[in-house]
């Protein structure tokens, strides 16, 4: 039986109720009305099988960022996630049943958004993610644990998809032939970024790897970027992963799980706003191959995510949290619609990149 959250909170010296919070697909998040307020999270240990490694990464990265933000005259209590230690003095609580919980200070005066309300809001997230990357540019990458190996290795994601298809555990493959064919039609392109990393034209950096709009807290009033959150997947990676994944989510004209696909398009105005802001943060610290692959990275990260949703659908929805039947299939369809739309817009996107 699962241990009650009240019992968990005792290990943080708190006696209080919790309220489910946020729209993440992986962890379980709760708001706790302590003063000041806090955020309790159950780390998904089916996915993050080594929570020690996850928390060591987060402790190291937040300590590093805290120092940089302080030196630059910023406010680290707002701009960096702050962990509340357990009464045992640990960065998280590991319950006897193996479940793992951490507590953060709630970043007051901010909120996250599931859709950008304007191009300016989306640009604010680009500044936040770009700055995050810039501040971590001299973080010792070799000290980070690779918590999910090959996380954005799209060739490996294709391999996992093919395996799920061969198993067809739930007998769902027959009903999604069109999506399967679409995924397979991109097989020749899945290795482009990993090949560029291998040949040295795209450098490994410390990257966030999950740059969804709702993983950045924006000021409630000004909508400026305040703090990048959801640091579970901070690992060595490519800047193209962070750039592409942010566009996958934020430049779509519809929700990630929109059923009416006529509402889903890739918005070039949003692409331009994000690109301008992100490149302004990165400055001249980019290789020519990185610049060249920016438009393609949006397409590849979208394809990869769609393939992951389809894989999970074939596997019987064991990875991403779902809230309705066929939810992962609906999510896959929006991603593939975007991939097809980006295909038509790659030249225009390259022209936009050239402007900045
Ligand atoms: P998941 O890995 O499940 O996506 P997140 O860490 O992204 O979990 O948290 C889910 C949501 O909870 C975020 O989108 C954000 O709205 C909210 N949240 C998380 N941490 C904080 C925090 N420290 N302060 C305020 N809100 C937070
Ligand atoms: C998951 O945890 P969350 O909801 O921010 C996933 C990302 C996907 C995203 C799709 C650890 O992100 O990789 O891009 O869903 N995180 C993990 O919405 O797999
Ligand atoms: Mg999240």
């Amino acid at each position: 039986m699962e241990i009650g959250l009240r019992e968990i909170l005792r290990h943080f010296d708190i006696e209080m109720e919790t309220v489910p919070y946020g729209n993440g697909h992986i962890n379980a998040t709760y708001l706790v009305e302590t003063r000041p307020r806090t955020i309790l999270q159950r780390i998904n240990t089916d996915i993050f099988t080594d929570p020690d490694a996850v928390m060591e990464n987060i402790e190291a990265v937040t300590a590093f960022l805290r120092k940089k933000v302080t030196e630059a005259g910023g406010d680290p209590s707002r701009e960096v996630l702050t962990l509340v230690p357990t009464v045992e003095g640990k960065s998280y609580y590991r319950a006897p049943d193996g479940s793992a919980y951490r507590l953060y200070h709630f970043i007051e005066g901010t909120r996250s958004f599931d859709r950008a309300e304007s191009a300016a809001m989306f640009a604010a997230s680009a500044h936040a993610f770009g700055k995050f990357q810039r501040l971590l540019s001299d973080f010792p990458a070799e000290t980070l644990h690779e918590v999910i190996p090959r996380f954005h290795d799209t060739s490996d994601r294709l391999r996992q998809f093919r395996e799920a298809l061969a198993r067809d555990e739930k007998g769902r493959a027959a009903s999604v032939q069109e999506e399967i064919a679409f995924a397979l039609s991109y097989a020749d392109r899945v290795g482009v970024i990993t090949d560029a990393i291998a040949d040295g034209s795209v450098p490994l950096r410390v990257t966030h790897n999950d740059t969804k709009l709702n993983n950045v807290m924006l000021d409630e009033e000004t909508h400026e970027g305040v703090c990048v959150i959801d640091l579970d997947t901070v690992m060595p990676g490519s800047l193209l992963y962070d750039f592409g994944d942010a566009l996958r989510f934020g430049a779509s004209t519809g929700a990630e799980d929109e059923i009416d696909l006529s509402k889903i398009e890739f918005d070039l105005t949003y692409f331009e706003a994000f690109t301008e802001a992100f490149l302004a943060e990165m400055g001249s610290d980019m290789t020519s191959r990185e610049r060249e692959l920016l438009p393609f990275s949006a397409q590849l990260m979208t394809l990869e995510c769609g393939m992951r949703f389809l894989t999970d659908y074939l596997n019987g929805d064991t990875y991403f949290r779902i809230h309705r039947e066929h939810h992962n299939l609906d999510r896959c369809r929006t991603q593939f619609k975007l991939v097809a739309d980006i295909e038509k817009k790659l030249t225009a996107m390259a022209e936009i990149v050239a402007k900045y």
Side-chain angles (χ1 to χ4, degrees):
M1 202 188 80
E2 202 189 318
I3 297 164
L5 293 178
R6 284 188 83 93
E7 172 57 24
I8 298 297
L9 279 175
R10 282 199 195 105
H11 292 272
F12 294 94
D13 200 20
I14 293 170
E15 283 274 352
M16 205 153 287
E17 295 298 327
T18 50
V19 187
Y21 199 76
N23 290 323
H25 295 342
I26 306 294
N27 297 312
T29 302
Y30 305 89
L31 174 65
V32 196
E33 294 278 355
T34 43
R35 278 168 200 237
R37 296 193 290 177
T38 44
I39 286 278
L40 178 71
Q41 279 187 324
R42 185 176 72 238
I43 304 169
N44 184 329
T45 46
D46 292 334
I47 291 173
F48 298 105
T49 51
D50 185 355
D52 271 337
V54 170
M55 295 310 293
E56 275 175 32
N57 280 359
I58 293 180
E59 282 180 272
V61 165
T62 53
F64 188 89
L65 290 173
R66 186 161 295 112
K67 190 159 172 279
K68 287 240 164 148
V69 166
T70 308
E71 278 165 9
D75 177 356
S77 71
R78 243 170 100 71
E79 294 169 43
V80 187
L81 277 175
T82 306
L83 282 163
V84 180
T86 66
V87 289
E88 296 88 8
K90 299 267 168 44
S91 65
Y92 77 104
Y93 176 65
R94 190 88 201 243
D97 68 353
S99 56
Y101 293 83
R102 66 180 164 222
L103 193 73
Y104 286 118
H105 282 286
F106 188 97
I107 305 170
E108 293 293 345
T110 66
R111 57 168 288 208
S112 66
F113 291 81
D114 292 309
R115 290 280 305 282
E117 290 173 356
S118 65
M121 176 185 281
F122 192 38
S125 79
H127 276 294
F129 285 126
K131 183 177 172 193
F132 180 85
Q133 175 124 169
R134 183 163 51 72
L135 291 180
L136 290 175
S137 61
D138 54 348
F139 182 94
E142 67 287 354
T143 63
L144 285 174
H145 305 283
E146 202 180 358
V147 289
I148 303 181
R150 313 186 79 169
F151 190 62
H152 279 306
D153 178 336
T154 315
S155 306
D156 196 57
R157 294 293 184 181
L158 177 63
R159 181 191 62 74
Q160 293 180 33
F161 165 66
R162 287 191 206 269
E163 273 180 21
L165 184 57
R167 278 195 310 269
D168 192 18
E169 212 165 296
K170 299 285 165 182
R172 289 175 164 177
S175 64
V176 291
Q177 286 301 311
E178 207 181 310
E179 288 75 16
I180 292 168
F182 186 89
L184 295 176
S185 73
Y186 278 85
D188 60 334
R189 277 178 260 182
V190 292
V192 170
I193 295 180
T194 42
D195 286 351
I197 294 172
D199 73 22
S201 58
V202 165
L204 273 184
R205 302 167 181 267
V206 174
T207 49
H208 183 279
N209 297 307
D210 187 3
T211 49
K212 277 210 270 212
L213 180 67
N214 63 16
N215 285 332
V216 54
M217 304 306 294
L218 304 182
D219 188 288
E220 234 160 37
E221 263 144 42
T222 65
H223 293 170
E224 291 298 316
V226 175
C227 182
V228 170
I229 63 164
D230 204 346
L231 306 179
D232 294 324
T233 51
V234 174
M235 285 180 282
S238 163
L239 156 161
L240 296 164
Y241 301 157
D242 282 1
F243 181 85
D245 194 50
L247 288 154
R248 163 191 89 72
F249 190 84
S252 171
T253 52
E256 191 184 60
D257 60 357
E258 175 60 57
I259 291 172
D260 180 357
L261 292 180
S262 72
K263 292 187 181 152
I264 301 291
E265 264 179 60
F266 187 80
D267 187 324
L268 283 178
T269 312
Y270 277 40
F271 175 77
E272 176 150 7
F274 191 94
T275 301
E276 180 180 17
F278 192 84
L279 293 186
E281 289 293 340
M282 292 309 295
S284 54
D285 178 31
M286 276 177 72
T287 68
S288 57
R289 186 70 173 143
E290 280 178 318
R291 280 184 66 89
E292 189 187 357
L293 287 177
L294 288 172
F296 174 71
S297 75
Q299 191 184 32
L300 190 66
M301 289 298 100
T302 309
L303 174 78
E304 178 186 284
C305 194
M307 237 160 48
R308 291 175 64 197
F309 288 141
L310 188 55
T311 302
D312 200 31
Y313 183 70
L314 293 172
N315 286 339
D317 310 304
T318 59
Y319 188 96
F320 298 103
R321 182 182 301 121
I322 56 166
H323 304 284
R324 60 177 188 245
E325 221 193 343
H326 309 311
H327 207 167
N328 276 316
L329 178 59
D330 296 337
R331 290 168 176 155
C332 158
R333 286 181 171 149
T334 62
Q335 302 306 291
F336 287 177
K337 172 89 195 273
L338 286 168
V339 170
D341 194 40
I342 294 173
E343 184 80 37
K344 293 183 246 154
K345 294 175 173 165
L346 283 169
T347 309
M349 289 159 74
E351 281 161 11
I352 290 169
V353 170
K355 276 166 68 178
Y356 299 101

